């Protein structure tokens, strides 16, 4: 069974940092790109970042570029999202999602999400 | 970057057919995908590419695309299909991903 499990969310003050993790299991991790997608309370889905299977291609939404860093550890079958200089508008549920095929943006498996709250 | 536009809300009578549309320039170049999200749950992929369904998704869900518009059709809508539906695709840079604003489907 394909499984993605996010962790690391929590309450952080504006300007603070947080690291999210996405642990994968049940599939050949090294064959898939992984993305982060977030959803602010009561709002729609917003793509955040993607990382290819070998980490050779990494992309960010304009709203997080320069503040967030995505990385992966294929040996540990995990993807990470380092979030710095957090703002109130970063408050959201953060999901990691597996991409069906490279550079297609079709996400066939999602984690349950981890909530990040940025508030003083 | 591109934008994808969806109607905020659509309703359908139980057992009838409903079409949910998604418009955007990027859809002229890329096939998108459709997601169903129920309250408190993660999104679920229902249709992707030209018209593919992941295993476990009922045949009543179908996708199509023409010009700058992608359409999700639910043939014979069921009560359990009541949910928010989002489209997405690559954007014009082919590096980023864009989501539509979502359509809330009500089954009457």
């Amino acid at each position: 069974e394909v499984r993605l499990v996010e962790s690391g969310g929590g309450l952080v003050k504006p300007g603070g940092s947080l690291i999210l993790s996405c642990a994968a299991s049940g599939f050949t991790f090294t064959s898939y790109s992984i993305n982060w997608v977030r959803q602010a309370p009561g709002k729609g889905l917003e793509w955040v970042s993607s990382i290819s299977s070998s980490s050779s291609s990494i992309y960010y939404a304009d709203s997080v570029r320069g503040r967030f860093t995505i990385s992966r550890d294929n040996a540990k079958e995990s993807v990470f999202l380092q979030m710095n200089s957090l703002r109130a508008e970063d408050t959201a549920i953060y999901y990691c999602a597996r991409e069906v095929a490279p550079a297609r943006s079709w996400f066939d498996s999602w984690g349950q999400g981890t909530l990040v709250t940025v508030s003083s | 970057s591109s934008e994808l536009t969806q109607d905020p809300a659509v309703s359908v009578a139980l057992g009838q057919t409903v079409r949910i549309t998604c418009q955007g320039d990027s859809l002229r170049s890329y096939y998108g995908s459709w997601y169903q999200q129920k309250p408190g749950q993660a999104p679920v992929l229902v249709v992707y590419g030209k018209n593919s369904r992941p295993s476990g998704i009922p045949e009543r869900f179908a996708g199509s695309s023409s010009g700058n518009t992608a359409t999700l059709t639910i043939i014979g809508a069921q009560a359990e299909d009541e949910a928010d539906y989002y489209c997405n695709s690559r954007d014009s840079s082919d590096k980023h991903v864009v989501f539509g604003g979502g359509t809330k489907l009500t089954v009457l």
Side-chain angles (χ1 to χ4, degrees):
Chain A
E1 177 195 5
V2 174
R3 197 156 183 245
L4 297 170
V5 179
E6 303 93 339
S7 61
L11 175 63
V12 61
K13 289 181 169 53
S17 298
L18 213 54
I19 300 176
L20 304 184
S21 300
C22 170
S25 60
F27 63 99
T28 305
F29 183 72
T30 52
S31 295
Y32 290 88
S33 298
I34 302 293
N35 289 246
W36 288 96
V37 177
R38 68 184 180 183
Q39 187 169 35
K43 302 298 184 183
L45 301 174
E46 180 189 14
W47 174 78
V48 173
S49 181
S50 68
I51 185 166
S52 62
S53 57
S54 64
S55 303
S56 59
S57 296
I58 288 175
Y59 303 115
Y60 300 97
D62 292 345
S63 57
V64 306
R65 185 178 299 112
R67 300 187 299 122
F68 290 11
T69 302
I70 192 172
S71 62
R72 65 190 290 161
D73 183 336
N74 283 346
K76 295 183 178 179
E77 298 189 323
S78 295
V79 173
F80 308 98
L81 188 68
Q82 168 77 52
M83 303 187 297
N84 298 330
S85 303
L86 283 162
R87 307 166 180 167
E89 54 264 37
D90 295 318
T91 294
I93 296 173
Y94 284 73
Y95 298 100
C96 61
R98 186 182 81 165
E99 208 162 322
V100 169
R104 291 293 188 181
S105 71
W106 307 329
F107 304 139
D108 68 338
S109 294
W110 297 63
Q112 84 291 347
T114 187
L115 177 62
V116 172
T117 303
V118 183
S119 175
S120 55
Chain B
S1 60
S2 314
E3 288 186 356
L4 296 177
T5 301
Q6 298 181 238
D7 290 330
V10 171
S11 62
V12 60
L14 184 67
Q16 296 303 300
T17 295
V18 62
R19 293 175 180 81
I20 300 172
T21 61
C22 173
Q23 290 188 303
D25 286 342
S26 62
L27 296 173
R28 297 184 185 279
S29 305
Y30 304 104
Y31 286 116
S33 50
W34 289 93
Y35 303 85
Q36 177 192 71
Q37 186 180 35
K38 296 180 179 179
Q41 297 183 20
V44 173
L45 178 67
V46 293
V47 168
Y48 65 97
K50 193 171 184 180
N51 183 19
S52 297
R53 280 176 290 105
S55 60
I57 300 301
E59 292 183 2
R60 63 179 180 272
F61 289 90
S64 61
S65 188
S66 178
N68 72 336
T69 302
T71 302
L72 173 69
T73 302
I74 306 174
I75 303 169
Q78 302 299 304
E80 60 265 31
D81 298 335
E82 187 162 287
D84 293 327
Y85 289 85
Y86 295 91
C87 62
N88 84 338
S89 81
R90 308 291 284 181
D91 80 347
S92 55
S93 74
D94 197 30
K95 292 179 171 61
H96 295 175
V97 179
V98 60
F99 281 92
T103 297
K104 182 176 182 59
L105 176 66
T106 300
V107 180
L108 303 171

